[in-house]
Amino acid sequence: DSIKAESLPEYSNIPISFEVESLLRAELLNNGLNGIILHEESVRPPYIKDYDKDNGEGPTRFPKAFDISNWGIFLARKGKTPVGGATVAFRTPGVNMLGGRDDLAVLWDLRIHPGFRRSGIGTKLFAEAVKWSKERGCWQLKVETQNVNVPACRLYVRQGCHLGEINRYAYASEPSIAHEIMLIWYLDL
C-alpha cells in the first residue's frame, strides 16, 4: 500500500536491524589501478547493525529533514500487521544522492520485519519502487548500502542492479562506522 507521512510512525515500527555475519572486503588490485575485487568474509563475532539507531529516530525523521512531497512510501502488511516498508526519494532539494537529476529516483529505505525476511516481501517492495519510479519518468533507480549488509547486496543483484560506485572512505568522519564501505547500486529502468 502507498501511505502518507502520517503513517510513518507505523512504518517506523518495522525493525531494520540485522545481524552482520559477513562483510564484503575490498581488495585493491595494483592499488586500484587494475580494479577492485569484493571478497565475502565471515565476521567474528557477529554483531547487530541498526540503521535507525545509527541515524536516530528512524523514518519519522524523513519529513523533519526533507520535503517528502515527491516521495513514494510503501507499506507491506500481513493482515493488519506491517511487515515491510520501502521509501523512494525523487526530485527533492537537499537529497545529495539525487545529484540534481530529474530522471533518477533513490531507494531511500527498505526494511522487512525479521520474521518475514526471505519471504519475497523485499522483492515485491523493490518492484513497487521500480514501478513508482518509472511512472515519474525516471530511467535509473539508485540504492546505497554498505559492505556489512551482504543480504541487501544480494537482493539488489537479484533485482538486476549493478554496482556503480565503491567509496571506501565515505564514513571516515563517523568513528563507529568508519570501517564500512559505501556501495552504490543502480538499476536501469
Side-chain angles (χ1 to χ4, degrees), residues 72-90:
I73 306 170
F74 308 97
L75 193 60
R77 298 177 191 273
K78 179 89 171 174
K80 293 185 178 188
T81 305
V83 296
T87 301
V88 185
F90 173 67

Side-chain angles (χ1 to χ4, degrees), residues 43-56:
V43 171
R44 296 288 173 245
Y47 63 94
I48 300 298
K49 173 75 178 176
D50 187 345
Y51 292 110
D52 288 346
K53 182 181 173 196
D54 291 344
N55 297 322

